[in-house]
Structure formats: structure tokens, C-alpha cells
Amino acid sequence: MPPADWNLLTDDLQLALTREALRRAAETLADHARLLALEMEQGTLGDRGGPEALRLFAAVVTATSVDAFGPIGHA
């Protein structure tokens, strides 16, 4: 949606769309966390623990975000 079109939306509609986008983002992150936990439980991915697990999670989120939504700045 071009910025001019966004600005034509009411504040309530902008807020609703923003909340839905954040809800979907949180759902996606939760799905990734569950998937990573399952993969580690099944032995597909090694349990690296602590910071390494967080870095792995960040890499998965980044990779799947680009696949699903395209590069940043091209919404």
C-alpha cells in the first residue's frame, strides 16, 4: 500500500492493520520456536544451548522472513 493510501485510512483502521501485522509476526516467531524445539528433541538439530540457540533462532527467523515477505524495504 503506497504511503498516500495508508494516510487516507482512518486511525482506527491503521491501528487494526498494525495490530494484525504484529499478531501475525508473534505467531510466526512462536511457530519457529516450537519448530526449533521439536527439531532439537528429535535430534535433527543439536541443542547448542544459550546464546548459540538464540543465534540459531535469529538465523531461522531472518531466513524465513526474507522468503515469506521479501527483503526489508520492499513491502
Side-chain angles (χ1 to χ4, degrees):
M1 170 180 296
D5 292 343
W6 176 259
N7 293 330
L8 294 175
L9 299 175
T10 65
D11 287 346
D12 287 340
L13 187 52
Q14 286 181 8
L15 184 58
L17 289 170
T18 301
R19 284 183 176 155
E20 177 61 15
L22 289 172
R23 185 196 66 76
R24 289 182 184 194
E27 184 177 313
T28 298
L29 288 173
D31 287 345
H32 288 300
R34 285 188 287 272
L35 178 61
L36 281 173
L38 182 61
E39 294 287 333
M40 287 178 183
E41 286 174 348
Q42 293 175 343
T44 309
L45 289 175
D47 182 357
R48 296 179 177 177
E52 287 302 314
L54 292 173
R55 287 185 191 95
L56 175 61
F57 180 70
V60 170
V61 170
T62 301
T64 56
S65 294
V66 171
D67 291 345
F69 308 115
I72 294 172
H74 294 85

